[in-house]
Amino acid sequence: METYNKLKLLLVVEMIGSIFSCFTNSVYGQADSLEIEKIRTESGVDPTRVNSRAGFSAAYFDKSNNQSAISTKFNLVLGVNRWSLSIKPEILSIHKGVSGTGFQSSVSDLKFSILNAFYVKGKNSLAGSIELNLPIGKLGFGSQYFSITPAITYSYTISQSLFLAIQEQYSFAIAKDNMFPDLSVLTNRVFLAKFTRSGMFYVIEPRTIIDFGNRNFDLIISPIIGKSVGAGFNIIGLMEIPTKKSTIDNRGVLYQIGFNKNF
């Protein structure tokens, strides 16, 4: 177990280190700005860039006491002009850490969202979105909240290949069972993303989460590495690393791999 934890720590350090080294070193000379913009749009990293794509991802939540969860998500985004509609179903597999019980699987919640990139001019972009969470997952697999999350994203293009984005989002319940606490969560996400002419892109995302209902504060660090492989395909790997021990124990460190296809 100690060796396993050291390997996890080494993976985290290597991933974050490679991202920071990319930000601090020049990776190309006279880049084609149109090619960089195409990679930026098709990556799906910047919410102010609208296009159509389908994607798949598998995420592993590594929890304490031999507990774990696997999330399988499918994502379909339809972009028209500066509008996009997306739907994201999820299947969740959970192991509660009890030997001999195995994984239990079920459908989790269904998310539907609409986004409008209402201002894209020069180096500045703004997009607004609303996401609905439909609680179709049974108890233990779904949130049990019919909720809505409005969000606003500001993106600033620092250079042809580098941008900074800030997203503010607030989640609250439209309907819920009275046994559950009120849902009132404010999330702040900051993205610093670097794109290269070779098709690689690197993102570091610190995220603060203020859960007013449970009187809890979290800081999660998420390094992301992706690669445009041609024909509209992108392969993306990411981690979500909580900074609080209680979050690591209950939610776990997340490791995710996936791909999308732009069309």
Side-chain angles (χ1 to χ4, degrees):
M1 182 60 70
E2 183 178 352
T3 302
Y4 174 62
N5 289 332
K6 287 181 179 179
L7 288 174
K8 289 196 298 180
L9 179 59
L10 181 61
L11 176 62
V12 172
V13 172
E14 287 288 340
M15 191 171 186
I16 294 177
S18 64
I19 289 177
F20 276 110
S21 66
C22 176
F23 289 137
T24 56
N25 291 281
S26 175
V27 293
Y28 67 95
Q30 297 297 320
D32 183 342
S33 60
L34 292 178
E35 182 65 21
I36 292 294
E37 181 66 25
K38 181 175 182 290
I39 296 171
R40 174 174 172 174
T41 299
E42 292 187 348
S43 69
V45 171
D46 186 353
T48 68
R49 299 301 194 265
V50 173
N51 71 323
S52 297
R53 61 185 178 274
F56 167 84
S57 65
Y60 169 61
F61 294 86
D62 187 11
K63 305 181 182 183
S64 62
N65 300 322
N66 199 38
Q67 300 181 77
S68 59
I70 300 171
S71 169
T72 304
K73 292 181 181 179
F74 302 88
N75 189 22
L76 176 64
V77 180
L78 300 177
V80 180
N81 296 322
R82 292 186 177 179
W83 289 88
S84 71
L85 302 172
S86 72
I87 187 168
K88 187 183 296 183
E90 178 182 11
I91 299 173
L92 193 62
S93 300
I94 297 175
H95 191 288
K96 296 183 178 180
V98 180
S99 298
T101 59
F103 281 88
Q104 304 297 317
S105 301
S106 182
V107 173
S108 186
D109 292 348
L110 177 68
K111 291 180 170 62
F112 170 80
S113 67
I114 181 170
L115 177 144
N116 177 233
F118 56 89
Y119 182 84
V120 180
K121 187 175 182 180
K123 293 187 175 183
N124 301 286
S125 304
L126 284 166
S129 63
I130 294 178
E131 181 180 81
L132 286 176
N133 183 81
L134 306 177
I136 64 174
K138 64 183 181 181
L139 191 63
F141 292 88
S143 69
Q144 306 305 307
Y145 289 92
F146 177 35
S147 63
I148 185 170
T149 302
I152 183 78
T153 304
Y154 168 71
S155 173
Y156 177 73
T157 300
I158 300 171
S159 68
Q160 291 180 347
S161 64
L162 185 67
F163 83 88
L164 173 70
I166 301 173
Q167 183 182 81
E168 301 287 342
Q169 59 186 53
Y170 179 68
S171 301
F172 60 94
I174 301 173
K176 68 179 185 69
D177 191 303
N178 288 334
M179 70 174 287
F180 294 97
D182 291 335
L183 179 64
S184 179
V185 179
L186 177 65
T187 303
N188 172 263
R189 305 177 68 183
V190 179
F191 307 85
L192 182 61
K194 175 75 174 179
F195 298 85
T196 74
R197 190 169 49 180
S198 66
M200 295 295 298
F201 50 93
Y202 307 85
V203 186
I204 190 73
E205 178 203 341
R207 182 190 319 164
T208 58
I209 302 171
I210 304 174
D211 186 342
F212 297 103
N214 292 302
R215 298 182 179 181
N216 186 47
F217 173 83
D218 266 330
L219 170 62
I220 295 176
I221 307 297
S222 180
I224 304 168
I225 296 178
K227 169 68 174 175
S228 173
V229 296
F233 281 95
N234 293 278
I235 300 173
I236 304 173
L238 66 86
M239 299 175 64
E240 291 185 358
I241 309 163
T243 57
K244 291 179 63 176
K245 185 179 184 303
S246 59
T247 305
I248 295 175
D249 291 342
N250 297 323
R251 182 182 183 271
V253 177
L254 179 147
Y255 306 86
Q256 179 174 301
I257 186 71
F259 71 89
N260 64 44
K261 162 64 176 173
N262 292 266
F263 53 91

